[in-house]
Amino acid sequence: MSDDIAMHCTSWRVAVEANNLGPWKTIPDECADYVKDYMLGRSYNVDLEKVSHESGIYAKSLELGADGMDAWVFDIDETLISNLPYYSDHGYGLELFNNVQFDKWILEGVAPAIKPSLKLYEEVLSLGFKIILLTGRNENKRNITVSNLKHAGYQKWDKLVLRQVIKLFKGEHEREKSASAFKSDKRKEIMAEGFRILGNSGDQWSDLTGTSTASRSFKLSNPMYHIP
């Protein structure tokens, strides 16, 4: 890889993480080796460790209410557990996303923990936060998701919110909403129950932005795919 290509791809990745790019479906062809090297190398883990560390500092700085309603929201895929084994077989984001193939991978239930996130999860749990898992996975993946999470080391949470496939008003389905709209709506419902969302961790900006946002959000690195 030439220095110019490496510089170009670094700039592209920074733009991804800063939410400066418009919607994109695959990584640039010329950045395939760069993204692979980043995901398999030390840099990706260092970036994850930094996010976990800063999140932990913030969590420890808070004084939680006595009512037990202070919550931390976690996304699941590329936040708590890693689908890197799947993406390593699909070009690290170079191929267009295939729902059928990805669902087969999910049903194997073997996605490993992202270790810095597991550490953060254990920290916020020990501090007394309610743990709310908010994922774009469909409700029919609940059992395998629970099994995978527990196998990866996540043993306890207070809510696991997945997409429903029932009809909503005007014929819309939750699974047809954008991730940002879906997660905004669910955070609103969570807050309506009395929870205070003090922290939110996710690998996509759609996990973190929109409405009914957390007091503070933390973005994990993910240059492999974009979910609006």
Side-chain angles (χ1 to χ4, degrees):
M1 185 190 316
S2 71
D3 289 344
D4 285 345
I5 292 294
M7 187 177 299
H8 161 70
C9 294
T10 299
S11 178
W12 174 84
R13 183 175 66 79
V14 170
V16 167
E17 299 305 336
N19 201 25
N20 286 334
L21 292 185
W24 53 278
K25 294 183 177 180
T26 64
I27 65 174
D29 289 348
E30 65 273 19
C31 296
D33 288 339
Y34 173 88
V35 172
K36 176 183 177 180
D37 290 346
Y38 172 76
M39 295 303 299
L40 297 182
R42 180 66 179 141
S43 293
Y44 175 56
N45 285 319
V46 169
D47 288 345
L48 295 178
E49 289 165 358
K50 183 63 173 178
V51 175
S52 175
H53 178 69
E54 294 299 325
S55 302
I57 291 174
Y58 166 70
K60 292 171 187 174
S61 74
L62 300 173
E63 183 175 347
L64 303 190
D67 58 1
M69 297 300 285
D70 293 306
W72 197 289
V73 173
F74 288 95
D75 172 53
I76 292 180
D77 293 294
E78 266 58 67
T79 299
L80 294 182
I81 55 177
S82 173
N83 297 302
L84 191 54
Y86 171 83
Y87 282 97
S88 68
D89 291 333
H90 296 275
Y92 299 91
L94 193 60
E95 298 179 12
L96 283 171
F97 182 73
N98 186 303
N99 279 307
V100 174
Q101 291 181 349
F102 188 66
D103 279 354
K104 288 180 180 178
W105 157 253
I106 286 179
L107 292 174
E108 292 181 26
V110 294
I114 293 178
K115 291 182 179 179
S117 293
L118 180 57
K119 179 181 178 182
L120 174 64
Y121 157 87
E122 291 171 343
E123 285 180 347
V124 298
L125 189 61
S126 70
L127 289 169
F129 285 87
K130 298 299 185 192
I131 304 295
I132 299 175
L133 310 184
L134 177 53
T135 175
R137 291 185 177 197
N138 288 340
E139 182 63 39
N140 61 11
K141 303 295 191 305
R142 177 177 290 273
N143 289 343
I144 192 62
T145 299
V146 168
S147 175
N148 195 158
L149 285 167
K150 290 189 172 182
H151 181 73
Y154 302 95
Q155 301 298 325
K156 180 181 178 182
W157 51 83
D158 296 278
K159 283 181 175 291
L160 171 57
V161 183
L162 301 94
R163 282 185 185 254
Q164 301 286 338
V165 293
I166 58 175
K167 284 190 175 182
L168 303 177
F169 64 92
K170 297 183 181 179
E172 186 181 21
H173 291 63
E174 278 189 352
R175 63 181 177 180
E176 294 172 350
K177 291 182 179 180
S178 70
S180 179
F182 165 71
K183 293 199 171 187
S184 292
D185 287 349
K186 291 304 173 183
R187 288 193 302 268
K188 182 178 180 180
E189 292 176 12
I190 290 164
M191 290 178 175
E193 293 177 28
F195 289 100
R196 296 177 292 275
I197 303 177
L198 301 185
N200 187 5
S201 299
D203 68 291
Q204 301 290 317
W205 282 104
S206 54
D207 297 330
L208 310 173
T209 58
T211 60
S212 302
T213 55
S215 298
R216 187 169 175 187
S217 298
F218 294 88
K219 169 74 168 65
L220 284 74
S221 180
N222 181 4
M224 297 188 297
Y225 59 85
H226 168 75
I227 300 176

